[in-house]
Amino acid sequence: MTHESSSAPVRLAELGPDADVTSLAPQLAEFAAVARLEHVTQAAQLLGMPQPTLSRAVARLEADLGVDLLARQGRTVRLTRAGRILQDAVERALVEVERGVEAARAEADPAAGRVAFGFLHTMGSDAVPALLRGFRAGHPRVRFQLVQDYGAAMLGRLRAGELDLCLVSPLPDAPDLAARPLDEQRLHLAVPAEHRLAARRRIRLAEVADESWVTVEEGYGLRHIMAGFCAEAGFTPRIAFEGEEVETLRGLVAAGLGVSLLPPALVPRPGVVELEVTAPRTRRAIGLAWHATRPLTPPAAAFRDFVLSRRGSILAHD
């Protein structure tokens, strides 16, 4: 569902060699110091610069704007009406810049910064909470923004800088992304409880070549992996239903609408039987990915190293 905002769009300042804000920005903090103290010498001492240099900077600002900002009275100065208007705007801008600086520093704080972490929907109920619990034991103040999505979408957000790290499958093979394998997850064939093969424990995937299939949509890593295993078994699956959530697919299987190749259920689903596939070897690699050239903040780097140290123990193995 799309929601339209009723607020007016934020106007962005013009940038470029001919834009006022570009040429004036370095002088505005100097003007703000003079405006606050109404004394050029004291303002120069506050800024740690020579008084003549500050006087020339303010005079240059007035010349650039074409207005008098200060009325000089010996060693002191008084703001003109135009000066007060500019001072109000500059003070508001400086407060926002200060807030931005503080927020940027807080984001990268090794002890209390923020990590934007993406992961597959199937990782959210067990694997990811266990990782977060283990990491927070040694980093209790680090904050997390958690994003669940399918693989291709997460890699796009990784490239856009919206995510620091993500758990994906299959692992990306791209020069701009770094990826390390962490674990392998067995995929089971889910069939309805009344299915002709439900009494079996193991099957070959070719035995369900003529079945209707339920699976995730195109673009999901699990769909690509499933299609690859079916091709290896010598057939193209006949897709009857597509969805986004694995538990929804299990519900469709329980309703007798098809079979599916899925990660093991943490809790058995009534009406669904999971069979081990002996041929081909239906396992998918789970790995951690991050941008190859964009440096990670200290908290994100610490979490990456922690996750990599758990290689081989990310998933509960049967």
Side-chain angles (χ1 to χ4, degrees):
M1 182 180 294
T2 301
H3 299 275
E4 295 183 0
S5 175
S6 58
S7 61
V10 177
R11 179 185 176 276
L12 299 179
E14 294 183 6
L15 298 176
D18 298 325
D20 286 342
V21 69
T22 303
S23 60
L24 299 178
Q27 305 168 52
L28 293 178
E30 296 167 345
F31 164 74
V34 175
R36 289 179 190 177
L37 298 173
E38 293 190 327
H39 198 288
V40 178
T41 302
Q42 292 177 6
Q45 292 172 347
L46 176 66
L47 297 173
M49 62 190 301
Q51 182 269 326
T53 302
L54 179 58
S55 296
R56 287 194 298 270
V58 175
R60 186 165 59 253
L61 176 62
E62 292 178 310
D64 290 340
L65 295 179
V67 295
D68 291 329
L69 301 173
L70 303 173
R72 291 157 178 83
Q73 301 174 353
R75 293 182 177 271
T76 62
V77 293
R78 293 288 182 269
L79 288 170
T80 65
R81 186 168 62 186
R84 294 193 183 283
I85 292 172
L86 182 60
Q87 182 195 26
D88 290 343
V90 170
E91 292 289 359
R92 290 195 301 270
L94 291 175
V95 168
E96 288 303 311
V97 169
E98 188 173 51
R99 288 174 179 167
V101 169
E102 291 174 355
R105 286 174 174 163
E107 188 84 350
D109 185 336
R114 183 180 69 103
V115 179
F117 180 44
F119 51 92
L120 301 169
H121 290 280
T122 53
M123 300 285 102
S125 59
D126 184 51
V128 168
L131 283 173
L132 296 177
R133 180 176 64 248
F135 180 74
R136 286 293 292 273
H139 303 77
R141 295 171 55 209
V142 170
R143 298 166 291 122
F144 280 84
Q145 176 192 354
L146 302 177
V147 175
Q148 290 178 276
D149 214 330
Y150 65 97
M154 283 197 297
L155 296 181
R157 298 175 81 159
L158 199 61
R159 288 185 167 102
E162 298 173 17
L163 292 177
D164 298 311
L165 304 158
C166 59
L167 279 180
V168 291
S169 180
L171 275 66
D173 182 13
D176 61 331
L177 298 177
R180 299 290 184 274
L182 293 171
D183 216 334
E184 279 194 341
Q185 184 177 52
R186 179 176 295 173
L187 301 178
H188 291 162
L189 184 75
V191 302
E194 65 275 10
H195 192 273
R196 60 184 174 85
L197 299 172
R200 300 261 298 273
R201 292 184 61 188
R202 301 177 180 86
I203 67 158
R204 292 175 292 106
L205 201 59
E207 295 182 67
V208 289
D210 296 329
E211 300 278 347
S212 295
W213 285 70
V214 298
T215 184
V216 289
E217 299 173 349
E218 289 282 0
Y220 283 65
L222 185 59
R223 172 69 170 264
H224 174 75
I225 292 169
M226 179 273 295
F229 286 138
C230 290
E232 191 176 343
F235 69 95
T236 299
R238 179 163 49 89
I239 307 300
F241 294 92
E242 296 177 320
E244 296 181 349
E245 295 283 351
V246 166
E247 289 309 309
T248 299
L249 300 183
R250 283 198 174 88
L252 296 175
V253 171
L257 298 175
V259 301
S260 190
L261 198 61
L262 300 173
L266 292 176
V267 179
R269 176 71 179 258
V272 177
V273 175
E274 295 188 357
L275 308 176
E276 180 183 343
V277 181
T278 58
R281 185 173 179 267
T282 53
R283 292 177 178 267
R284 66 170 179 171
I286 304 294
L288 186 69
W290 62 94
H291 202 280
T293 59
R294 184 184 304 122
L296 292 171
T297 62
F303 185 61
R304 177 196 59 189
D305 295 344
F306 173 82
V307 174
L308 294 179
S309 74
R310 296 302 187 269
R311 182 176 179 178
S313 61
I314 299 296
L315 304 173
H317 293 279
D318 50 5

